[in-house]
């Protein structure tokens, strides 16, 4: 109970600080950093069609983003997608969504620590080019692997001691990053971009359909991170008003950057140069800009290394927060969510999931493939499975809980039997389902490791529920009306609370009449 009170006090303090700009930069520090990783990976696969891969993934991202915006504003709880799925689909599917998000968070730590080290090596070409032959695995860059493991260890130490990035730091880095990315795009288009060269690469270097689909599934990692905004919903001032503004701005800004970077790159450099720089593609592009390249390249590398490390730290924080949420909801034991009596941080979950991240990084380097690409396979699987279930939960919650006030609703709704069915939500289900199918078809690592990860979590869930005498396939009894009142009271949404109580009365009367 003492540990629970500590966490509650921390959340109350944070809730008073996270405003519209703070919420936006919090999300941007996570989502906006993804293009630093995705640009090289996607271009290596999509070649001249890289903008198309980002566009297709971006369309799916818009539908998922709108769904998350509605649910996070209506249910401002720290559980994020896992909470939405559990509330809409029940305990078992909540566990599946939680396992998918846990995979994404765990991979997040390894993937972004690896990418951060890659941008550090922009200043040390000899480290970037260092490889030694290893039987069955080809050649391995042990220096890059060592740097990745050191960064993961650093994040473990910082999180155990309770040190994490502040909202102010996120705001500063987010603003600097937007300025830098805008400068690269604007200067590139004005002084270096050649439309004829762009069209030439589009026409002559268009990949086969399978490679394009594979690249599209990789491009998804440019847009993953909206979860961080909903995870912070319980710590945000007036989430009903702030979250829709934050999410909509984030969707637009990130989509523009994700489309602009491949377009400007293909008009300046051959696709294979960008695709060949797995670790620091944006710094390479910035260094080739006229007039400012000698400054822009190093500046992009420093900022990218910093903001990517913060994104990796989001994975450490997210996994421990998710473990706490799942324990509170009866999906797993409380062992991993226990808070250290001295440091007041969930030490066990930090060490456990960071250790798994380190093992994933080692396996990625020894997989015989490009390390970042191997990690991106698993990242895409975890994210798309969670998003697929979340979009289903949106439609189900619209039907089951029409009495819950929704400060923001997805556009294009069809009224059916007194319920507004979100047409974009249904398209989101189709889009995320198809994207998940593409991931399973084109990603050899995800085909095995992804389902295996989920199966292990399901096995643990069955064992835990049996041991505690709880139902396995049925959900625990929960009073969602009382839960919604608690959420709205804690978030200070008094107008919505009064409206909710009125809507509940009307809903109960209609249920009796039926």
């Amino acid at each position: 109970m003492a540990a629970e009170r500590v966490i509650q006090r921390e959340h109350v303090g944070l809730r008073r600080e996270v405003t519209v700009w703070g919420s936006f930069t919090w999300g941007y520090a996570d989502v906006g950093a993804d293009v630093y990783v995705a640009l090289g990976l996607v271009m290596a696969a999509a070649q001249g069609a890289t903008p198309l891969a980002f566009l297709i993934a971006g369309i799916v991202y818009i539908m998922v983003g709108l769904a998350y915006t509605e649910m996070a504003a209506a249910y401002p709880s720290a559980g994020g997608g896992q909470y939405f799925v559990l509330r809409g689909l029940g305990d078992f599917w909540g566990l599946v969504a939680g396992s998918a998000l846990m995979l994404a968070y765990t991979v997040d730590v390894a993937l972004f620590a690896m990418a951060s080290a890659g941008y550090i090596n922009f200043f040390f070409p000899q480290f970037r080019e260092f490889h030694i032959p290893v039987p069955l695995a080809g050649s391995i860059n042990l220096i890059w692997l060592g740097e990745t493991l050191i960064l993961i260890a650093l994040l473990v130490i910082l999180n155990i001691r309770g040190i994490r990035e502040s909202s102010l730091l996120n705001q500063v880095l987010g603003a600097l990053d937007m300025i830098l990315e805008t400068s690269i795009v604007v200067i590139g288009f004005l002084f270096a971009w050649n439309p004829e060269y762009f069209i030439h690469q589009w026409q002559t270097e268009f990949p086969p359909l399978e490679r394009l689909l594979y690249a599209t599934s990789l491009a998804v990692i440019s847009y993953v991170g909206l979860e961080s905004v909903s995870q912070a919903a319980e710590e945000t001032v007036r989430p009903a008003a702030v979250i829709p503004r934050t999410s909509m701005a984030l969707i637009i800004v990130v989509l523009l950057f994700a489309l602009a970077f491949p377009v400007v790159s293909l008009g300046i450099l051959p696709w294979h140069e960008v695709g060949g720089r797995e670790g620091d593609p944006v710094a390479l592009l910035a260094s080739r800009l006229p007039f400012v390249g000698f400054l822009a390249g190093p500046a992009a590398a420093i900022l990218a290394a910093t903001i990517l490390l913060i994104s990796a730290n989001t994975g450490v924080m997210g996994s421990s927060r998710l473990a706490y949420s799942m324990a509170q909801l009866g999906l797993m034991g409380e062992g991993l969510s226990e808070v250290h009596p001295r440091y007041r941080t969930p030490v066990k979950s930090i060490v456990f999931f960071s250790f798994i991240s380190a093992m994933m990084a080692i396996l990625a380097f020894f997989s015989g493939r490009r390390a970042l690409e191997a990690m991106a396979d698993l990242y895409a699987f975890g994210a798309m499975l969670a998003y697929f279930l979340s979009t289903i939960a949106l439609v189900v919650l619209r039907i089951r809980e029409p009495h819950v006030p929704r400060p923001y609703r997805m556009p294009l709704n069809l009224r059916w039997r007194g319920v507004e069915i979100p047409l974009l939500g249904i398209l989101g289900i189709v889009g995320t389902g198809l994207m998940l199918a593409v991931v399973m078809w084109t990603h050899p690592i995800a085909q095995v490791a992804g389902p295996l990860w989920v199966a292990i979590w399901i096995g643990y869930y069955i064992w835990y529920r049996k041991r505690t005498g709880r139902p396995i396939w049925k959900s625990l009894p929960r009073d969602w009306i009382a839960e919604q009142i608690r959420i709205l009271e804690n978030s200070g949404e008094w107008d919505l609370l009064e409206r909710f109580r009125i809507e509940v009365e009307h809903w109960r009367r209609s249920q009796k009449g039926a």
Side-chain angles (χ1 to χ4, degrees), residues 227-432:
E227 184 74 20
S228 61
V229 176
S230 57
Q231 286 280 359
E234 202 169 310
E235 303 165 6
T236 303
V237 176
R238 300 302 304 270
V242 169
I243 289 177
R245 298 176 193 172
T246 295
S247 297
M248 295 302 292
L250 206 56
I251 289 170
I252 294 170
V253 171
V254 172
L255 183 63
L256 288 175
F257 279 132
L259 294 177
F261 268 95
V263 172
V264 73
S265 298
L266 287 173
I268 299 175
L269 298 171
W271 70 265
H272 56 81
E273 283 195 30
V274 180
R277 289 288 281 268
E278 179 186 15
D280 56 356
V282 175
L284 170 67
L285 172 64
S287 68
R288 299 294 180 87
L289 294 177
F291 312 122
V292 297
F294 69 100
L295 288 177
I302 293 172
L303 189 57
T306 305
I307 204 166
L308 285 167
L309 192 61
I310 285 180
S311 288
N313 196 41
T314 301
V316 178
M317 293 166 54
S319 60
S320 60
R321 181 181 295 178
L322 184 57
Y324 175 78
S325 175
M326 293 174 69
Q328 294 300 303
L329 292 169
L331 303 182
M332 59 181 287
E334 297 183 356
L336 288 177
S337 65
E338 290 179 358
V339 177
H340 192 277
R342 177 181 175 187
Y343 298 120
R344 297 181 176 180
T345 54
V347 174
K348 290 183 180 179
S349 66
I350 290 171
V351 173
F352 178 73
F353 291 112
S354 297
F355 174 77
I356 294 178
S357 296
M359 293 299 101
M360 286 180 172
I362 293 173
L363 291 175
F365 274 94
F366 282 85
S367 66
R369 303 176 60 198
R370 300 204 303 176
L372 280 173
E373 187 177 5
M375 297 307 302
D377 282 7
L378 285 177
Y379 196 77
F381 173 84
M384 293 318 303
L385 176 57
Y387 286 171
F388 175 62
L389 293 174
S390 294
T391 50
I392 294 175
L394 168 75
V395 177
V396 173
L397 286 170
R398 282 278 194 101
I399 298 171
R400 288 186 178 177
E401 300 187 3
H403 50 279
V404 172
R406 287 168 170 79
Y408 170 82
R409 285 179 182 267
M410 294 181 72
L412 299 179
N413 298 283
L414 177 64
R415 195 160 188 83
W416 178 73
R417 294 186 180 180
V419 177
E420 290 189 345
I421 305 298
L423 298 181
L424 288 182
I426 294 175
L427 289 177
I429 295 173
V430 175
T432 53

Side-chain angles (χ1 to χ4, degrees), residues 16 23 35 51 55 62 76 145-146 204 240 254 301 360 366 384 401 440 459 461-462 466 510:
R16 297 192 186 101
S23 179
V35 71
L55 177 61
I62 290 173
L145 173 59
T204 62
V254 172
M360 286 180 172
F366 282 85
M384 293 318 303
E401 300 187 3
M440 292 300 295
Y461 170 78
I462 293 173
K466 277 187 176 180
S510 66

Side-chain angles (χ1 to χ4, degrees), residues 187-207:
I187 294 174
F189 273 122
L190 289 179
F191 301 106
W193 193 68
N194 184 340
E196 294 180 355
Y197 188 54
F198 171 80
I199 294 173
H200 171 76
Q201 294 206 78
W202 174 277
Q203 293 177 337
T204 62
E205 303 290 347
F206 207 92

